[in-house]
Amino acid sequence: MIVRIMGEGQVKLDDAHFVELNKLDDELLDEMESGDEDGFRRTLSALLDAVRRLGAPLPDDSLEPSELILPAEDATLDEVREMLSDDGLIPG
């Protein structure tokens, strides 16, 4: 799957990594619902770090369609709320 981190670029992630990423996504959703700003910052950072660590960066000139778009690390709680689906940021 091709994942874009807003403001950074794209990475290719193997579907096998989505179990780990979904756990972080669930934590992020819980923290957003409870208004836990510190937890939200910490978990968003951990989620993006995991995508960077597990994914293979695509070249900057690559024009692959992104199947998943994640917010930038400095996104606000409200900005991320606007990106959410019922499943969180990551479907499944």
Side-chain angles (χ1 to χ4, degrees):
M1 176 179 282
I2 305 297
V3 179
R4 174 175 297 283
I5 298 175
M6 294 176 72
E8 289 186 33
Q10 294 177 302
V11 297
K12 184 170 184 156
L13 271 173
D14 187 273
D15 290 345
H17 297 302
F18 281 89
V19 171
E20 177 181 344
L21 298 176
N22 273 318
K23 289 178 185 177
L24 290 167
D25 188 44
D26 290 344
E27 286 178 40
L28 187 68
L29 190 56
D30 289 343
E31 291 157 352
M32 290 180 66
E33 288 175 352
S34 70
D36 179 358
E37 180 78 32
D38 291 335
F40 163 78
R41 286 270 144 240
R42 189 173 42 254
T43 304
L44 178 59
S45 181
L47 175 64
L48 297 177
D49 286 346
V51 168
R52 292 180 196 112
R53 176 175 43 84
L54 299 170
L58 295 179
D60 289 338
D61 60 352
S62 175
L63 297 174
E64 300 290 325
S66 299
E67 298 166 88
L68 178 63
I69 299 175
L70 297 176
E73 189 134 7
D74 62 353
T76 67
L77 219 143
D78 288 335
E79 290 169 337
V80 175
R81 270 194 188 108
E82 290 177 17
M83 297 178 72
L84 290 176
S85 69
D86 290 339
D87 287 336
L89 290 170
I90 301 172

